[in-house]
């Protein structure tokens, strides 16, 4: 039984298709436009941890896979140019080292000539970034969007609709438990529901709170 649970544990790849925009529809439209630009332009996305910034950067890279060079800089990666006509995505700008920021400045200066574009994410608006002025001023010249996290009620309604679309009998009590005991980013929560449905079918067990607890322990 444990192996069956592990076989259907949540697993998903961030994409624009599985990102629920909520109040962020204008941001998603701007991001899609940015994916096709090769004019040295920059899109800056800011918002708190868990708002979906990293999801969008990973989704952006996946969206253009095979169409143009791309590079994602995150978690201490070295800053480097994506190449001519490339897209550079930089996550958690405020955590980048001085050396990385110096290289980012060079990339920004040459981006138009090399027909590149950038999508950068951080936890603060440009005016609040504590970093070298030449980088923050360049960031401030780009297109800026604040991420607007989904409210709990929006998450509950989305999850209930997702469960209903799969013919699942999923109660609001179970949704509340899921929100309290699991990661709170919506794609992950929806992946948990998918895993719960698969486990129910594989094990021949009804969808219940105990089964949900087993799924979450298998994360």
């Amino acid at each position: 039984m444990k192996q069956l649970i592990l076989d259907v544990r949540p697993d998903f790849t961030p994409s624009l298709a599985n990102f629920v925009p909520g109040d962020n529809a204008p941001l998603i439209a701007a991001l899609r436009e940015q994916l096709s630009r090769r004019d040295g332009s920059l899109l800056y996305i800011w918002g708190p941890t868990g708002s979906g910034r990293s999801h969008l950067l990973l989704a952006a890279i996946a969206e253009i896979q095979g169409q143009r060079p791309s590079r994602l800089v995150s978690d201490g990666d070295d800053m480097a140019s994506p190449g001519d006509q490339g897209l550079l995505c930089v996550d958690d700008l405020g955590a980048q080292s001085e050396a990385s920021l110096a290289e980012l400045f060079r990339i920004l200066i040459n981006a138009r000539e090399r027909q590149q574009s950038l999508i950068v994410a951080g936890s603060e608006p440009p005016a609040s970034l504590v970093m070298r002025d030449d980088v923050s001023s360049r960031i401030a010249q780009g297109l800026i969007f604040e991420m607007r996290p989904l409210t709990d009620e929006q998450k509950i309604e989305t999850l209930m609709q997702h469960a209903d679309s799969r013919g699942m009998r999923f109660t609001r009590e179970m949704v509340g438990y899921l929100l309290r005991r699991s990661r709170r980013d919506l794609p992950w929560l929806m992946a948990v529901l998918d895993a719960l449905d698969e486990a129910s079918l594989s094990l021949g067990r009804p969808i219940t709170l105990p089964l949900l607890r087993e799924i979450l322990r298998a994360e």
Side-chain angles (χ1 to χ4, degrees):
M1 180 180 297
K2 181 178 180 180
Q3 185 58 48
L4 282 173
I5 293 291
L6 290 174
D7 286 345
V8 296
R9 67 189 184 278
D11 183 23
F12 70 94
T13 299
S15 70
L16 293 181
N18 62 26
F19 181 80
V20 178
D23 297 327
N24 295 298
L27 163 58
I28 301 304
L31 185 145
R32 289 188 179 278
E33 175 67 20
Q34 189 68 10
L35 295 180
S36 65
R37 299 181 74 111
R38 291 172 171 81
D39 55 2
S41 60
L42 181 144
L43 171 66
Y44 182 69
I45 304 168
W46 69 275
T49 300
S51 59
R53 294 180 287 120
S54 297
H55 180 111
L56 287 183
L57 294 187
L58 289 166
I61 295 292
E63 189 79 5
I64 62 166
Q65 195 71 38
Q67 301 176 31
R68 59 186 296 201
S70 63
R71 180 175 176 83
L72 173 63
V73 176
S74 64
D75 298 329
D77 295 338
D78 291 334
M79 190 72 63
S81 170
D84 290 349
Q85 301 188 19
L87 173 72
L88 175 65
C89 293
V90 181
D91 200 4
D92 201 4
L93 180 63
Q96 298 299 321
S97 68
E98 283 300 314
S100 287
L101 291 175
E103 181 59 29
L104 177 58
F105 181 64
R106 285 191 286 271
I107 292 170
L108 288 166
I109 289 176
N110 297 317
R112 179 181 290 275
E113 180 182 349
R114 300 191 64 179
Q115 298 182 296
Q116 298 170 341
S117 60
L118 298 92
I119 301 175
V120 182
S123 60
E124 303 287 343
S128 300
L129 293 172
V130 180
M131 64 176 60
R132 46 190 292 167
D133 291 340
D134 53 6
V135 174
S136 60
S137 63
R138 289 269 177 166
I139 297 295
Q141 293 171 22
L143 191 59
I144 300 167
F145 280 89
E146 178 185 4
M147 290 287 299
R148 300 186 180 277
L150 295 179
T151 65
D152 280 354
E153 188 57 35
Q154 285 175 319
K155 290 180 181 179
I156 289 172
E157 291 304 317
T158 301
L159 290 170
M160 293 295 291
Q161 291 173 12
H162 185 65
D164 185 63
S165 71
R166 294 194 61 141
M168 298 171 63
R169 299 185 63 182
F170 199 66
T171 66
R172 291 181 72 90
E173 176 190 8
M174 295 172 70
V175 174
Y177 180 88
L178 181 56
L179 287 173
R180 292 192 303 272
R181 301 300 179 91
S182 181
R183 285 166 44 179
R184 296 178 63 82
D185 50 301
L186 192 60
W188 174 261
L189 293 170
M190 294 174 73
V192 171
L193 289 194
D194 293 343
L196 180 64
D197 192 25
E198 293 296 328
S200 173
L201 294 173
S202 298
L203 299 171
R205 291 171 53 182
I207 294 174
T208 60
L209 192 56
L211 183 58
L212 174 60
R213 291 193 183 102
E214 291 183 46
I215 290 291
L216 293 179
R217 283 198 297 268
E219 288 183 22

